[in-house]
């Protein structure tokens, strides 16, 4: 696993995508969002996603540096910010019904 630190510059906002490669067919990109999913088959658009992925790969920390950053965050208690989230608002934003 390689980490893309949040304090860096990330000019590419692709969202979640999966680059699918087939042996006998053209490549495609699978996109998924809160409201649905789609498959991109246009070769120029697929190439854009390949470019975006390579940029993210070049920007991400190495595996060793990623491991060290994760260990530092755990040791510093940075992970403890999650329980302080407004759970009602967070649940509502993903389509659930807020609990009392």
């Amino acid at each position: 696993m390689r980490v893309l630190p949040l304090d860096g510059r990330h000019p590419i906002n692709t969202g979640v995508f999966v680059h699918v490669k087939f042996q006998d067919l053209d490549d495609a990109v699978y996109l998924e969002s809160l409201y649905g999913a789609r498959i991109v088959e246009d070769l120029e658009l697929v190439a854009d996603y390949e470019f975006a992925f390579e940029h993210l790969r070049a920007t991400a920390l190495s595996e060793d540096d990623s491991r060290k950053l994760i260990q530092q965050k755990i040791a510093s208690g940075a992970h403890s910010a999650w329980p302080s989230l407004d759970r009602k608002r967070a649940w509502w934003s993903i389509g659930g019904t807020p609990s009392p």
Side-chain angles (χ1 to χ4, degrees):
M1 176 172 45
R2 296 178 59 195
V3 173
L4 193 62
L6 294 176
D7 60 357
R9 290 190 54 206
H10 309 296
I12 297 176
N13 184 11
T14 61
V16 177
F17 70 94
V18 177
H19 182 194
V20 184
K21 295 185 176 211
F22 300 100
Q23 186 173 4
D24 298 327
L25 301 170
D26 291 334
D27 291 1
V29 172
Y30 174 76
L31 304 172
E32 192 171 281
S33 71
L34 180 61
Y35 298 106
R38 71 183 183 116
I39 296 176
V40 176
E41 297 177 278
D42 180 289
L43 295 180
E44 288 183 33
L45 295 178
V46 171
D48 288 344
Y49 278 93
E50 289 176 354
F51 178 79
F53 183 76
E54 289 306 319
H55 173 76
L56 294 171
R57 184 191 316 235
T59 306
L61 298 175
S62 69
E63 288 185 28
D64 286 339
D65 288 341
S66 294
R67 187 178 303 107
K68 289 175 188 173
L69 178 63
I70 292 168
Q71 290 170 341
Q72 288 171 352
K73 295 294 183 183
I74 291 171
S76 72
H79 65 287
S80 63
W82 281 101
S84 67
L85 288 175
D86 180 346
R87 289 193 175 107
K88 291 179 185 176
R89 191 175 71 225
W91 178 252
W92 184 256
S93 70
I94 60 170
T97 304
S99 58

